[in-house]
Amino acid sequence: MSKITKEVLSNILENRHKNSLYKSLKDLPHPNSFKDMQKAIKRIEKAILNKEKIMLVGDYDVDGVVSTSIMIEFFKAISYPIEYIIPNRFTHGYGLSTKIVSLLDHVSLVITVDNGISSIKTANILKKKNIDLIITDHHTVPDILPQAYAIINPKQKDCTFNFKDICGAQVAWYLCAAIKNHMNFNINMSIFLDLLSLAIIADMMPMHSLNFIMVKKGLKKIKESKRAAFICINDIMKKEKFSSDD
């Protein structure tokens, strides 16, 4: 038996991805392949043009916080103010719960990130209040869906986005990319890849295909990131490059 050297092992690991559809970021599937994406971005465009108040509802875990952060940064980049809530699990419960409805009364559009696909009661309340709801999520889709204006979740049966195992932050990133394309904003979406790779790894998404290329690029972005947390990580770990294990 031939000796397995570091080079041989490296080649074996690299070959796992040689048949991947996604060799680079330019190969990523288009945002419009998500069900309801066009409907969602047109409603967001209307809100921006009419200067409506938009509320973002996130979650407290890594994926939820990163999803929220990407959306906030994107809207700052296009110079449009939005509000956000990271629900307290002890006070509000999980995600878009009925306990946070009173915090949403002053807005006309609510967007969830990394939650909302099971929030049937809250969706009904918002509908009665004439508050439009856009759900972006990646969790398992229940038999009965919330009555939302639009639902963006790759696990919906009639969603044509061809890679289902993505995290909430990736769905949020794709929504921002779709808004950028539709409204012709000059934003390089790769600036969010450092944060995005963190969410993909922390939410334990399968490390192949679409996830692999995003994390591979994102880990490189962490090395050059100007975010305070990543500057500290670089300073403490002093590594030439990062892996997902780090």
Side-chain angles (χ1 to χ4, degrees), residues 10-48:
S10 178
N11 288 334
I12 292 172
L13 293 174
E14 192 67 29
N15 283 336
R16 291 181 305 162
H17 308 287
K18 69 178 182 179
N19 295 321
S20 173
L21 296 173
Y22 315 109
K23 302 294 184 184
S24 67
L25 293 177
K26 71 178 188 301
D27 298 325
L28 296 181
H30 197 276
N32 287 348
S33 58
F34 280 97
K35 182 182 183 295
D36 279 2
M37 183 64 84
Q38 278 295 305
K39 193 175 181 182
I41 60 176
K42 286 177 181 177
R43 179 62 184 90
I44 292 169
E45 178 186 38
K46 179 184 174 184
I48 292 172

Side-chain angles (χ1 to χ4, degrees), residues 96 98 116-126 133 135 142-147:
L96 188 66
T98 55
I117 198 63
S118 299
S119 301
I120 294 171
K121 287 183 179 180
T122 311
N124 289 339
I125 295 171
L126 294 180
L133 170 63
I135 293 172
D143 293 334
I144 300 175
L145 291 172
Q147 290 193 56

Side-chain angles (χ1 to χ4, degrees), residues 56-183:
L56 193 65
V57 179
D59 189 28
Y60 87 109
D61 69 359
V62 176
D63 191 20
V65 170
V66 168
S67 303
T68 306
S69 299
I70 289 173
M71 292 285 288
I72 291 168
E73 286 195 13
F74 177 83
F75 276 90
K76 279 184 179 178
I78 65 174
S79 300
Y80 194 83
I82 63 170
E83 300 179 33
Y84 70 94
I85 300 170
I86 301 289
N88 182 307
R89 286 280 174 97
F90 300 103
T91 307
H92 308 119
Y94 167 73
L96 188 66
S97 69
T98 55
K99 291 182 179 179
I100 67 169
V101 167
S102 62
L103 303 175
L104 308 174
D105 281 342
H106 64 294
V107 302
S108 57
L109 177 61
V110 173
I111 304 173
T112 72
V113 287
D114 191 33
N115 75 91
I117 198 63
S118 299
S119 301
I120 294 171
K121 287 183 179 180
T122 311
N124 289 339
I125 295 171
L126 294 180
K127 191 174 182 67
K128 289 178 182 178
K129 290 176 175 286
N130 294 317
I131 299 173
D132 286 334
L133 170 63
I134 295 173
I135 293 172
T136 77
D137 204 343
H138 71 117
H139 294 103
T140 301
V141 177
D143 293 334
I144 300 175
L145 291 172
Q147 290 193 56
Y149 186 91
I151 299 176
I152 305 172
N153 184 327
K155 290 187 173 70
Q156 293 184 90
K157 290 179 181 179
D158 47 355
C159 180
T160 59
F161 189 82
N162 63 3
F163 190 72
K164 307 301 182 183
D165 294 322
I166 59 176
C167 67
Q170 286 166 288
V171 182
W173 182 85
Y174 262 107
L175 174 61
C176 293
I179 297 168
K180 170 208 164 176
N181 293 341
H182 181 73
M183 300 187 71

